[in-house]
């Protein structure tokens, strides 16, 4: 069980890296909600440092204090690199953080979000309203409760950018790391479209990145990743997968990104056009994982 009590103090244990000998304990000053949704074990609680937090199956999903890093980098990097996104697909992302950043781009005409677990969205709306900040009411949103892998297999729709805001490859998230999913997602992209994925922290989860990169190399002309540091995704840089047939998209200049950023009227706390560019410069050990990825 992820929640344990030592006398009168509650602790939530993140067991994602338990096999590597690492369990991270967060003090829960208040357990706001805990239940098995039928799909996943969900805990929402308050921690002194990170504010309100949500964990699924023993892995931290989102925290009030550091969520901006992940959500800004997952959203603004592909949207501003592309420069003309009209249709966006979010797979997963039940808490609404990616959606919140996406709706800030007024040029986007339609946002489809496919989340497998309605309980995550409903509970996040109720107990973590600051994450979606009203974005679920945006008229451009089409919210679908379904398996994202099944959706991209059967949908006839096309999207300029697809953001896969998945859990790690456990439980319902496993299918979102399979080649069939990436292939079907690619088929849903318009020409020059971009697929972005969360691929864990390479220092602790190198196979999560290498396995996705091996599959991306078979599917896309340009398979790469970029990085961001998110305090609760411990172990240093997190890798965000980048698959596209347009190899020039990550060569967009800082000047162009700055122009698009200003045009969009964005105000961000982690993302800047310079950080965007720098995020594609990989530390050598991560570059090696990408370069050697094959299965
Ligand atoms: N930022 C987070 C992280 O990696 O820690 C991810 C947050 S978001 C809450 C992940 C969401 O993916 C969850 O709400 C989960 O229900 C959803 N999910 C998992 N498997 C899915 C699938 N097959 N199709 C659609 N959504 C899925």
């Amino acid at each position: 069980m992820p929640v344990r009590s030592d006398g009168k103090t509650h602790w939530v244990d993140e067991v994602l890296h338990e096999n590597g000998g690492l369990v991270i304990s967060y003090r829960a000053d208040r357990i706001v909600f805990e239940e098995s949704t039928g799909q996943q074990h969900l805990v929402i609680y308050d921690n002194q440092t990170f504010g309100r937090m949500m964990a699924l199956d023993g892995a931290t999903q989102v925290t009030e204090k550091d969520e901006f890093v992940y959500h800004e980098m997952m959203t603004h990097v592909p949207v501003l690199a592309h420069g003309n996104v009209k249709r966006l697909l979010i797979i997963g992302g039940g808490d609404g953080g990616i959606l919140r950043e996406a709706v800030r781009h007024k040029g986007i005409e339609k946002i489809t979000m496919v989340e497998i677990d309605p309980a995550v969205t409903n509970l996040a709306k109720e107990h973590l309203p600051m994450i979606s900040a009203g974005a679920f009411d945006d008229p451009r949103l089409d919210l679908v409760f379904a398996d994202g892998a099944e959706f991209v297999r059967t949908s006839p729709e096309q999207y300029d950018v697809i953001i896969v805001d998945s859990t790690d490859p456990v439980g319902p998230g496993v299918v979102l790391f399979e080649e069939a999913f990436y292939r079907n997602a690619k088929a849903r992209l318009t020409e020059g479209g971009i697929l972005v994925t969360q691929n864990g922290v390479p220092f602790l989860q190198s196979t999560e990145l290498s396995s996705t990169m091996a599959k991306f190399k078979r599917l896309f002309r340009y398979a790469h990743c970029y990085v961001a540091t998110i305090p609760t995704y411990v172990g240093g840089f997190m890798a965000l997968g980048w698959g596209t047939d347009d190899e020039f998209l990550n060569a967009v200049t800082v000047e162009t990104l700055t122009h698009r950023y200003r045009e969009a009227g964005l105000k961000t706390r982690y993302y800047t056009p310079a950080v965007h560019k720098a995020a594609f410069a990989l530390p050598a050990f991560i570059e090696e994982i990408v370069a050697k990825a094959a299965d």
Side-chain angles (χ1 to χ4, degrees):
M1 282 293 288
V3 181
R4 67 188 163 82
S5 182
D6 87 22
K8 48 186 174 38
T9 308
H10 293 293
W11 296 88
V12 175
D13 286 342
E14 171 155 79
V15 294
L16 185 63
H17 307 299
E18 195 171 20
N19 291 340
L22 189 65
V23 173
I24 297 137
S25 296
Y26 294 91
R27 195 182 67 224
D29 298 328
R30 182 174 159 228
I31 303 282
V32 177
F33 197 88
E34 182 178 13
E35 77 161 23
S36 286
T37 67
Q39 309 261 12
Q40 306 164 97
H41 184 88
L42 183 150
V43 190
I44 297 174
Y45 62 102
D46 290 333
N47 173 267
Q48 187 174 347
T49 300
F50 290 104
R52 188 143 296 180
M53 302 179 63
M54 180 172 75
L56 287 174
D57 288 340
T60 302
Q61 298 295 304
V62 71
T63 93
E64 186 180 352
K65 291 289 160 62
D66 73 353
E67 56 84 17
F68 65 96
V69 183
Y70 178 86
H71 294 134
E72 289 179 11
M73 290 300 278
M74 283 285 271
T75 311
H76 302 314
V77 171
V79 172
L80 292 176
H82 184 283
N84 189 27
V85 177
K86 299 281 181 223
R87 296 167 63 87
L88 176 77
L89 174 63
I90 302 165
I91 304 279
D95 50 63
I98 300 285
L99 179 63
R100 180 197 69 215
E101 293 304 315
V103 301
R104 299 174 67 194
H105 292 272
K106 299 300 173 218
I108 299 180
E109 292 167 1
K110 183 167 183 199
I111 302 168
T112 303
M113 178 170 145
V114 184
E115 162 60 54
I116 203 167
D117 193 342
V120 174
T121 297
N122 293 335
L123 292 166
K125 272 192 204 171
E126 186 178 348
H127 299 295
L128 289 141
M130 68 300 269
I131 304 295
S132 54
F136 284 110
D137 297 327
D138 194 286
R140 295 169 291 171
L141 172 66
D142 180 17
L143 178 58
V144 180
F145 289 117
D147 175 12
E150 196 51 24
F151 181 87
V152 293
R153 193 179 71 77
T154 53
S155 167
E157 302 285 325
Q158 296 288 114
Y159 302 92
D160 303 307
V161 164
I162 300 177
I163 299 172
V164 186
D165 181 16
S166 65
T167 48
D168 283 287
V170 281
V174 172
V175 291
L176 302 182
F177 291 80
E178 290 174 354
E179 186 155 344
F181 167 67
Y182 295 140
R183 190 180 315 108
N184 292 330
K186 187 192 170 182
R188 304 270 63 78
L189 283 175
T190 52
E191 203 182 328
I194 310 166
L195 175 64
V196 166
T197 52
Q198 81 84 1
N199 285 108
V201 172
F203 184 78
L204 294 172
Q205 299 160 289
S206 64
T207 50
E208 202 169 303
L209 176 60
S210 60
S211 129
T212 293
M213 288 298 105
K215 292 161 187 154
F216 271 26
K217 283 180 187 178
R218 288 194 283 273
L219 295 169
F220 292 101
R221 252 183 257 148
Y222 194 77
H224 198 68
C225 75
Y226 62 105
V227 291
T229 311
I230 298 125
T232 43
Y233 302 150
V234 297
F237 283 118
M238 170 171 238
L240 305 170
W242 176 270
T244 178
D245 279 346
D246 187 336
E247 60 196 293
F248 300 108
L249 282 179
N250 78 338
V252 177
T253 64
V254 174
E255 289 70 28
T256 301
L257 292 171
T258 303
H259 175 73
R260 290 176 183 169
Y261 179 81
R262 288 195 182 131
E263 286 280 291
L266 295 176
K267 195 167 175 296
T268 46
R269 292 178 64 209
Y270 186 93
Y271 179 97
T272 69
V275 164
H276 176 146
K277 286 297 287 182
F280 285 87
L282 303 179
F285 81 99
I286 300 179
E287 201 165 53
E288 190 177 319
I289 294 170
V290 176
K292 290 190 174 161
D295 54 25

